[in-house]
Every structure is written in C-alpha cells, then in structure tokens.
Amino acid sequence: MGEELKLYGARGSPFSDRVNIALKLKGVEYKYFEENYLNNKSTSLLKYNPIHKKVPTFVHNEKPIAESLVILEYIDETWKTHPILPQHPYERAQARFWSNFIDDKIVPTTLKVVKAKEEWKNTLEELSEYLEMLEKELKDKYFGGEGIGMVDIAGNFIAQWIPTTKELVGVDILTEAKFPKLYQWSCDFATHPAIKEVSPSKEEIIAIFKPRCYR
C-alpha cells in the first residue's frame, strides 16, 4: 500500500506504550522515534503536534494524530485485524467511557498518592474507590472479553505502573485480597507476549517513576 507510519513516543510514557501495544497486537509495521518528552523535543514532534507538543504522536502518510485514546480509535478503524473496540454502539460507548475514566480518575489520583507529602492516605482511599468501580466492571479475562481491547490497553498504567508503588513508596495498592479480579487481570495483561515485547520492564518503570515520588 506504500503507507508511511511513524510513531513519536517515549519509553517512559504509559500513553505512548498504548499505541505501541495496539500496533503490535494488529501486526502493523511502523517507524518508531524515541523522544525526550520532558526536554529537547524534536523539531518533527513539534511540527506534527504543535498544539500539545507531546507524545504520543502518530503520523499516517504525513497526517498526524495526537492523544493516545484518539490514536487507538484511529488505528482500530484503519486496520481491522484484532479489533480493540466492540462492534455494538453501546459497548463501544462503554469502552470509551471506561478508557476516559482511567485517564481522568485513576492516573492523576495515583500520581497524587506517590507525590503527596501529607494527606496521601485520603488520596489512597479515593484511588481504591475508583479501582473498586473497575473491579465491578471486569466480567471476563479482559475488559475486551477473551481478547485485549481498548479498556485493557488504556489500563496499561494500572497493570504495569501501579504495582511499582510498593517498591517506591511502600504502598501496595493493587492487592489480590482487595481486588481479586483486577489483580488477576493485571497479571494476565502484563505477561501477554505482545505486551511484554513492547513495554518497559518493571525495573525501567521504577527508574522512571522514582523521581516523581516525594516519600
């Protein structure tokens, strides 16, 4: 087809990892460009994403798409192998809702837990409430059923980053006793061959996350 696919991402970004995961699951070949997403952003990244100036930025035949969840939908609509969004309109809407829930509630609240010097226990209770909501939503092996779908990919932060909080700040958030279904899901997701191939190791995540921790 003569398609040119480029992904500007960063190893330390769970949002970039989402796009890597989706492309890997679909078997789509692309060129990856590693960015320093905090400093020294490349001229190409600034050209393709002049509004947000951040990763991930996906470029398909010189047409740029920004924001990880938007990119996931674009990829799913363009390449039909291994669908990551349900076909039914209501189920698609639900997948979008829970993906946004992860970004709007779980990611920022987790960062508050690891960054807070005081009152972090209150924030931890809030995070536990959000995780309990997801626990109730999980009906099968994955949120996408028997195969990895959009909510699973959006939840890569939960499966791969939240478990590192035990080593970083001494808080074990995602425990099997408290969240049995979500805990098992996180194990299945993190050990999936396609996920392991494109995701940073636990040691890498700890090294990236550690400078953000205040305790």
Side-chain angles (χ1 to χ4, degrees):
M1 295 176 64
E3 294 180 310
E4 184 182 19
L5 308 177
K6 295 183 284 190
L7 172 61
Y8 293 84
R11 188 73 170 172
S13 166
F15 305 103
S16 290
D17 287 343
R18 292 173 177 177
V19 183
N20 278 315
I21 289 167
L23 293 168
K24 183 65 180 178
L25 288 170
K26 287 178 173 288
V28 176
E29 298 291 331
Y30 60 101
K31 294 179 181 178
Y32 177 78
F33 298 88
E34 178 72 16
E35 290 283 335
N36 184 327
Y37 65 103
L38 297 177
N39 302 295
N40 301 319
K41 296 172 182 177
S42 71
T43 55
S44 294
L45 176 65
L46 298 177
K47 180 183 85 170
Y48 288 124
N49 193 347
I51 297 175
H52 295 300
K53 302 180 175 68
K54 64 181 183 180
V55 298
T57 298
F58 183 64
V59 185
H60 183 193
N61 291 334
E62 288 303 301
K63 295 179 180 178
I65 304 100
E67 298 298 296
S68 64
L69 297 183
V70 175
I71 296 170
L72 292 185
E73 290 210 39
Y74 179 85
I75 289 171
D76 201 43
E77 291 171 359
T78 306
W79 293 277
K80 302 302 183 182
T81 56
H82 191 110
I84 59 176
L85 272 165
Q87 294 302 306
H88 192 280
Y90 177 77
E91 292 176 355
R92 289 172 72 88
Q94 289 297 101
R96 293 187 181 104
F97 173 85
W98 288 109
S99 297
N100 280 290
F101 175 83
I102 291 167
D103 277 3
D104 294 342
K105 300 294 185 182
I106 292 178
V107 173
T109 308
T110 303
L111 294 177
K112 285 181 183 178
V113 170
V114 301
K115 286 182 176 182
K117 294 181 180 179
E118 300 174 355
E119 301 297 328
W120 63 271
K121 290 184 179 179
N122 292 335
T123 309
L124 180 59
E125 290 179 6
E126 181 183 355
L127 176 58
S128 295
E129 290 176 5
Y130 294 146
L131 291 173
E132 181 61 35
M133 294 175 190
L134 267 184
E135 172 88 3
K136 292 177 180 177
E137 182 63 19
L138 184 57
K139 309 275 193 309
D140 299 297
K141 180 177 182 179
Y142 298 110
F143 288 96
E146 288 303 307
I148 291 174
M150 184 169 180
V151 181
D152 303 288
I153 297 171
N156 70 323
F157 180 85
I158 301 169
Q160 298 174 295
W161 290 71
I162 285 183
T164 64
T165 58
K166 184 176 182 179
E167 286 86 349
L168 290 169
V169 293
V171 179
D172 196 0
I173 297 173
L174 189 62
T175 65
E176 186 175 12
K178 193 167 185 178
F179 306 106
K181 292 193 294 183
L182 206 55
Y183 177 86
Q184 184 58 53
W185 163 83
S186 70
C187 294
D188 291 336
F189 179 86
T191 57
H192 187 285
I195 309 305
K196 288 179 67 176
E197 187 170 341
V198 297
S199 299
S201 66
K202 186 176 182 179
E203 291 71 25
E204 286 179 286
I205 292 173
I206 289 174
I208 295 162
F209 220 168
K210 193 170 185 178
R212 305 182 186 185
C213 301
Y214 293 167
R215 293 197 309 282

